[in-house]
Amino acid sequence: MSLLLRLLVLISMALAAPAALAQERERIVFSVISTEQTEAVEALWMPFVQAMEEETGLDVELVSAIDYAGVIEAMRFGQVDVGWFSNLSGLQAIRLADAEVFAKTLYPGGQEGYRSVILVRNDSPLQTLDDLLVCDGSLSFALGDPNSTSGTLVPLAYIFAPRGIDPQSCFAQVTNANHEQTALAVANGFVDAGTNNTTNLDRLAQTRPEALAGMRILWSSPLIQTDPIIWRRDLPEEIKSEIFSFFLTYGFRGDAEQRTREQAVLETLFLGGFLPATDEHLLPIRRLELMRDLAETQASEALEEGERAARLEQIELALRELAVEERRVAVRELAADMTEARTRLATDEAGASADITRLVAEFLAAQPRIEVERRIRRATTGEITRGLLGLGAGLTLFAVMMIRSRPPRFGPSRLLSDRLIDAAIWSGLFGLLIWSFWPAEMFKFPLLGTNAPRMGEYIAGFFQLDLDGWEVYARQTLITVQIALWGTVVAVIAAIPFGLMASRNIAPVWIVQPVRRLMDAFRAINELVVAAIFVAAVGLGPFAGVMALALHTTGVLAKLFSEAVEAIDDGPVEGVRATGAGPMNEVVWGVIPQVIPLWASYALYRFESNTRAATILGLIGAGGIGQVLIQNIRSFEYGKTATILLIIIAAVTAVDLISQMLRKRLV
Amino acid sequence: MAELHSALSIDRVTKTYGAATALSSASLVVKPGEMVALIGASGSGKSTLLRLASGLVLADPGSGAIRLFGEKVQENGRLSARVRRARARVGFIFQQFNLVTRASLYANAMLGSLGQIAPWRGVTGSFPNDVRKRAMDALERVGVADHAGKRAANLSGGQQQRGAIARALVQQARAIFADEPIASLDPVSARRVMRLLAELNAQDGMTVVVTLHQVDYALKYCRRAVALKAGQIIYDGPISGLTRERLIEIYGDEYRDVMDESVRA
């Protein structure tokens, strides 16, 4: 046992050593957000990254993740240096990660922005925005990722907030997904309408023209600025200069041949180059964000009135501050436009003077309103009613049980304390169930029967296997198994001491209790949160995932291990103790041989479930089959999802067979 | 030097479990080389006495000292800092054998050395060569060398109990405390184990203290008897002193019928 442990430590040290030696050139990490499969995104970006390496003399590592939060965390802790962000995530990066905007992207035609749109199917009865906003709970609506500008923020700020509508209460169902998934959901009729943006529609025209042809645009927003390119403020100036000149010249430098080549690369990335920018680029998005906060604050049912008023006041203050900055930019632009118009007076007198009047009028009209509408909402009473109902049900059962267990005329009677405890346990559980009935929506149970055909329809979709790309899925599954393997092994190594320390028959209570609470915490904290913590130290990627799995699994295994230890037979321990052996040997010879079979089963079982749990790790860019699976489910690719599921089932079966063999050897 | 000490000395020791008194102010001295039978009805406190003597159970506060060959095991309800040194001098045999069932008989015998070798050797299973040799010799002596490589769990009760005795031999113990060593064994195995204990006492001068349910085994193999009743020592003397009346006093009135029936049979 201990030989194995030492071997594992040695192996992991040997594996880590070369990585530590390799860092000679200055290295920067460049992050891009992928709305598609990570592998494809990385292939697209490779020529650009190589050019960046040649031009700047830096080692550039490309990371791509499907979620913004991980990248922002990574940037905050110096694990990402430069990144292509969306406007909103860029704003968060600037706030949280001490970053700044230094450039912005252009679209292939050179446009500086895009529009947010709402899509419906061609055959949809919805013709106007008002048709969509009937708010009778009959329609379903797909918003974008909660942090997405065009998918979520713009629609909230321009449609919902001004009308005081909360999408959650307006629609029967509101889903969140990325742009491609939302588009496909609308095209396939899974939702009545969904948000999107013009850039993504251009892309869709190439990747899925048939899906695009089946939809029309119900509403489109004012122009939204392009995406910002952001770096960490504390990058050395010379590195900043290198990166700055690379981005701004790329696609427009060297001879005609080089320009053509670089423009081709930009085209595959749906870009038309980059322009310089500052944090002012994000002013419009700050407005959008404040409008969203305003809408949420007004719509939230969880807030007390006092708190609501306080928050509204804060938002009003923020809007005022924002207005000052906006005015500064607007005035600068107005000055430039006026100068330009006045120089035109010589050549085009009528047009120029009309322009001057118009410019001033537009400037004045665009000055934002700041007053915030304050609405009153009623507090909900449902919660209290349900609590009372649960309490009532519990007390009733308590009374019934006490009466039924009263001393009988014949036969032995039970102790009063036993009767009380029994009745309290069962009636408490019953009351809890009643109380939880509505929050858990258990009243929907009959739907399982009435809507069974729909489930059948859904499942039928899986029977059309789409075997394209199964090699990719198999490789990703292998990565997942590898992540799960290391995550589990690290957890087992940690769970042995923790498990022993959490066992009442081994350790004193002042060790057992703290260790148990620590293990509770390990189990309770979501793997994604743990992963984000590790991202701060080790950057985005599988290792953060391994550690997140390991921490969670340590919490689970230590608990199971300690329960096994508490159930041992004391005999062998006494047998060893009676020879004069020390505490270490009592554990190694008296305890461990007894629990090894159970420990091995638990560890192997956790390995199996970690293979499945590793799915969540895609969100922090850890790769593996989970990421691919989530994307395919979200884009309603039944055939591909089915193929992936088959591969996962095969992998889990293989893991199970190997586990059984191992257990036979160990027991 | 050590010969000057008693093998076991217990000085006014009391042990209560909640409201029940298992042992009440009992004192006992066993000299080196003695073979003592502890007898008494179930719950009379004989097992407690033996387990207290090895420090497997703590006496109540206020109790006197318990020593093995002069080395203190516990006093006043607290284990001595040198309890492991004291335990190493005495091999303990249990009714349920208490071997490490998943380890081989050979490994179990080697565990007898844990009180003498460096802790890391035990933890990693790197036993010194002389321990390995002693283990094989001991298994040979108790007659289970053929089963040395088998897991303890796969052996009969008699074989396991002899393995436990081998463990005490590897321990180079100067005394063996046996708590109901034959209560779970068939008559043939029981006789073998008792003969082995007697042989170790006679040939090697090993002190043996054995608790027994079966009075006839005590009469046959032991020279001194200590009888307990309700936590008190009510007889301590030569085995020949266990007269019919005394046994009835020890085990209660019904024992009269037991003896009468066996006479008739």
Side-chain angles (χ1 to χ4, degrees):
Chain A
M1 163 69 49
S2 59
L3 276 175
L4 184 66
L5 300 194
R6 268 179 288 168
L7 201 63
L8 285 172
V9 173
L10 273 179
I11 291 172
S12 56
M13 279 166 59
L15 291 176
L21 290 175
Q23 295 186 358
E24 286 199 20
R25 260 177 20 144
E26 289 258 36
R27 179 173 154 277
I28 64 157
V29 182
F30 175 48
S31 74
V32 296
I33 301 295
S34 70
T35 45
E36 305 199 15
Q37 298 190 359
T38 316
E39 286 197 351
V41 169
E42 284 178 4
L44 285 179
W45 279 93
M46 232 356 110
F48 184 84
V49 169
Q50 277 163 4
M52 199 185 330
E53 287 193 320
E54 280 166 28
E55 171 75 19
T56 60
L58 300 165
D59 248 348
V60 180
E61 189 192 329
L62 179 74
V63 296
S64 67
I66 59 173
D67 185 68
Y68 293 121
V71 179
I72 294 168
E73 283 299 323
M75 188 171 240
R76 194 174 143 208
F77 290 97
Q79 304 289 349
V80 163
D81 302 295
V82 181
W84 176 14
F85 285 81
S86 72
N87 280 310
L88 180 59
S89 62
L91 186 57
Q92 287 172 329
I94 283 168
R95 284 192 191 134
L96 298 171
D98 192 26
E100 66 184 346
V101 177
F102 72 92
K104 64 179 178 184
T105 58
L106 290 177
Y107 293 126
Q111 306 96 321
E112 292 181 36
Y114 59 87
R115 286 167 205 282
S116 168
V117 298
I118 291 181
L119 296 173
V120 292
R121 263 164 79 113
N122 282 337
D123 56 9
S124 164
L126 306 176
Q127 295 299 335
T128 65
L129 215 46
D130 291 334
D131 294 343
L132 178 67
L133 299 175
V134 289
C135 293
D136 57 0
S138 64
L139 299 173
S140 57
F141 191 67
L143 280 171
D145 182 289
N147 277 347
S148 160
T149 307
S150 61
T152 305
L153 269 193
V154 173
L156 285 180
Y158 285 90
I159 299 177
F160 296 101
R163 290 172 174 77
I165 294 173
D166 172 21
Q168 300 292 343
S169 58
C170 175
F171 298 108
Q173 194 194 1
V174 178
T175 51
N176 288 98
N178 71 29
H179 300 309
E180 190 166 75
Q181 295 154 1
T182 325
L184 291 174
V186 173
N188 292 328
F190 290 107
V191 293
D192 293 309
T195 60
N196 227 294
N197 66 53
T198 47
T199 323
N200 191 61
L201 292 186
D202 290 345
R203 198 174 320 184
L204 212 59
Q206 292 177 27
T207 55
R208 292 169 188 273
E210 76 290 347
L212 187 64
M215 296 184 288
R216 60 185 157 83
I217 293 173
L218 183 74
W219 171 86
S220 92
S221 76
L223 191 75
I224 305 165
Q225 290 258 12
T226 50
D227 293 333
I229 310 290
I230 288 175
W231 61 28
R232 281 183 25 232
R233 218 179 272 276
D234 61 356
L235 277 185
E237 284 306 322
E238 60 274 19
I239 290 184
K240 278 183 176 173
S241 306
E242 294 284 355
I243 294 171
F244 190 74
S245 61
F246 169 74
F247 269 89
L248 293 182
T249 56
Y250 190 81
F252 301 93
R253 56 182 185 157
D255 52 21
E257 190 218 341
Q258 186 181 6
R259 284 202 297 275
T260 317
R261 203 175 57 235
E262 293 187 347
Q263 283 292 344
V265 171
L266 286 172
E267 208 167 311
T268 62
L269 298 169
F270 295 97
L271 288 176
F274 304 90
L275 280 181
T278 66
D279 286 355
E280 280 178 357
H281 176 85
L282 297 172
L283 286 179
I285 212 70
R286 277 173 59 190
R287 170 157 295 276
L288 289 182
E289 193 191 39
L290 284 169
M291 294 306 285
R292 180 194 62 179
D293 291 350
L294 182 62
E296 281 176 0
T297 310
Q298 283 172 338
S300 168
E301 296 189 5
L303 285 179
E304 288 173 34
E305 283 313 317
E307 183 155 3
R308 191 193 310 280
R311 287 207 193 167
L312 288 175
E313 203 164 314
Q314 267 181 0
I315 291 170
E316 204 172 310
L317 186 68
L319 278 170
R320 256 180 232 292
E321 284 171 7
L322 181 65
V324 174
E325 285 187 65
E326 282 174 336
R327 190 183 166 91
R328 202 177 295 143
V329 177
V331 164
R332 199 162 57 225
E333 281 171 3
L334 177 67
D337 291 345
M338 293 282 265
T339 312
E340 187 263 346
R342 284 177 192 178
T343 52
R344 267 193 294 123
L345 267 177
T347 51
D348 171 23
E349 196 187 328
S353 88
D355 275 354
I356 289 172
T357 320
R358 185 181 52 81
L359 280 172
V360 174
E362 274 183 8
F363 174 82
L364 292 174
Q367 289 307 298
R369 272 185 29 217
I370 295 169
E371 292 78 29
V372 166
E373 192 187 347
R374 300 213 167 121
R375 276 174 296 154
I376 307 296
R377 287 188 162 265
R378 64 186 168 78
T380 53
T381 50
E383 190 64 17
I384 301 158
T385 322
R386 287 166 201 163
L388 288 175
L389 200 60
L391 192 66
L395 288 175
T396 312
L397 183 68
F398 186 82
V400 169
M401 283 188 71
M402 287 308 288
I403 292 166
R404 292 207 38 124
S405 66
R406 71 190 184 280
R409 260 198 294 165
F410 309 105
S413 58
R414 299 183 57 216
L415 278 177
L416 181 65
S417 60
D418 280 358
R419 289 167 54 207
L420 280 171
I421 290 170
D422 264 16
I425 288 173
W426 290 109
S427 58
L429 183 63
F430 183 63
L432 204 62
L433 280 172
I434 297 294
W435 179 51
S436 312
F437 189 85
W438 287 273
E441 296 198 336
M442 290 311 292
F443 52 83
K444 285 192 177 173
F445 213 84
L447 289 182
L448 284 181
T450 52
N451 287 346
R454 284 202 216 166
M455 289 200 288
E457 211 174 294
Y458 188 84
I459 292 166
F462 287 103
F463 286 100
Q464 288 144 15
L465 281 187
D466 179 353
L467 289 172
D468 264 6
W470 71 269
E471 300 99 328
V472 177
Y473 303 150
R475 209 171 335 118
Q476 293 293 327
T477 308
L478 186 62
I479 292 174
T480 304
V481 173
Q482 288 167 326
I483 292 172
L485 181 64
W486 268 104
T488 313
V489 167
V490 171
V492 168
I493 293 170
I496 291 171
F498 279 130
L500 291 168
M501 285 190 285
S503 306
R504 260 171 264 172
N505 53 346
I506 300 283
V509 68
W510 52 269
I511 289 183
V512 169
Q513 284 306 324
V515 169
R516 287 198 169 187
R517 298 296 81 80
L518 181 68
M519 294 303 112
D520 288 349
F522 280 8
R523 283 197 307 281
I525 300 173
N526 184 299
E527 278 121 322
L528 267 184
V529 178
V530 180
I533 294 169
F534 281 112
V535 162
V538 302
L540 295 165
F543 184 66
V546 168
M547 292 313 294
L549 271 189
L551 197 76
H552 184 83
T553 309
T554 301
V556 176
L557 284 183
K559 178 185 163 78
L560 292 172
F561 281 12
S562 69
E563 280 169 5
V565 168
E566 288 181 351
I568 59 166
D569 171 14
D570 280 338
V573 184
E574 284 193 341
V576 174
R577 184 178 302 158
T579 66
M584 283 291 285
N585 274 304
E586 276 182 33
V587 170
V588 167
W589 290 101
V591 177
I592 297 206
Q594 290 194 63
V595 293
I596 273 287
L598 222 57
W599 280 12
S601 311
Y602 290 148
L604 290 168
Y605 168 70
R606 282 308 304 189
F607 173 43
E608 210 184 291
S609 30
N610 278 347
T611 311
R612 276 172 277 134
T615 52
I616 201 156
L617 304 177
L619 287 176
I620 52 154
I625 192 65
Q627 192 170 342
V628 186
L629 178 66
I630 289 173
Q631 280 157 350
N632 277 290
I633 291 175
R634 282 199 190 158
S635 40
F636 307 98
E637 294 278 8
Y638 294 138
K640 286 184 181 163
T641 306
T643 309
I644 295 170
L645 288 179
L646 277 184
I647 291 174
I648 293 177
I649 291 171
V652 172
T653 309
V655 167
D656 180 52
L657 289 175
I658 296 168
S659 301
Q660 277 181 17
M661 273 160 46
L662 285 174
R663 266 180 44 204
K664 267 193 198 135
R665 286 295 312 155
L666 284 168
V667 172
Chain B
M1 181 69 193
E3 267 63 33
L4 297 175
H5 295 293
S6 313
L8 166 63
S9 74
I10 294 179
D11 181 26
R12 285 171 287 115
V13 168
T14 299
K15 174 68 187 172
T16 52
Y17 291 102
T21 303
L23 208 60
S24 123
S25 193
S27 298
L28 180 67
V29 172
V30 176
K31 289 195 285 293
E34 279 195 290
M35 182 139 181
V36 182
L38 282 177
I39 60 170
S42 296
S44 60
K46 52 191 193 304
S47 278
T48 302
L49 181 72
L50 214 51
R51 291 163 63 78
L52 280 165
S54 269
L56 296 176
V57 167
L58 279 178
D60 290 353
S63 297
I66 299 176
R67 292 172 195 275
L68 295 173
F69 296 99
E71 198 78 77
K72 198 199 290 174
V73 174
Q74 54 174 303
E75 184 170 15
N76 193 20
R78 275 214 291 269
L79 280 184
S80 143
R82 296 164 71 82
V83 61
R84 282 163 49 201
R85 193 179 280 260
R87 279 177 186 150
R89 297 180 181 180
V90 176
F92 207 105
I93 311 290
F94 301 84
Q95 177 180 351
Q96 293 305 333
F97 329 127
N98 287 3
L99 297 181
V100 179
T101 51
R102 290 171 48 78
S104 68
L105 208 51
Y106 174 57
N108 269 290
M110 287 194 293
L111 294 188
S113 69
L114 286 180
Q116 294 143 30
I117 60 176
W120 70 266
R121 281 188 169 277
V123 169
T124 57
S126 332
F127 292 97
N129 276 330
D130 69 303
V131 170
R132 291 171 185 276
K133 180 167 188 314
R134 253 154 56 201
M136 273 323 285
D137 291 349
L139 291 172
E140 189 79 45
R141 175 153 189 201
V142 300
V144 288
D146 291 347
H147 306 294
K150 292 185 190 160
R151 275 190 181 178
N154 299 337
L155 298 173
S156 74
Q159 288 163 337
Q160 289 195 51
Q161 198 59 298
R162 282 184 281 158
I165 295 173
R167 180 168 71 188
L169 290 176
V170 172
Q171 200 177 328
Q172 294 174 319
R174 287 155 61 191
I176 287 184
F177 291 172
D179 185 12
E180 305 288 1
I182 57 172
S184 303
L185 300 182
D186 66 77
V188 175
S189 298
R191 177 172 169 275
R192 256 194 212 155
V193 165
M194 283 313 293
R195 283 179 67 96
L196 200 49
L197 290 177
E199 180 192 313
L200 290 172
N201 174 254
Q203 292 181 5
D204 302 35
M206 212 180 265
T207 315
V208 174
V209 181
V210 53
T211 68
L212 288 167
H213 272 309
Q214 301 93 326
V215 180
D216 41 341
Y217 277 109
L219 294 171
K220 196 162 178 184
Y221 292 101
C222 301
R223 293 184 295 278
R224 175 180 167 194
V226 175
L228 284 113
K229 187 176 185 183
Q232 286 184 326
I233 295 175
I234 57 166
Y235 176 80
D236 183 356
I239 202 82
S240 53
L242 290 180
T243 56
R244 178 185 163 91
E245 281 65 39
R246 193 145 266 149
L247 284 171
I248 291 168
E249 186 196 343
I250 294 168
Y251 288 104
D253 275 345
E254 276 184 72
Y255 196 69
R256 192 189 311 272
D257 306 337
V258 175
M259 281 188 292
D260 291 348
E261 275 173 28
S262 67
V263 166
R264 248 176 271 139

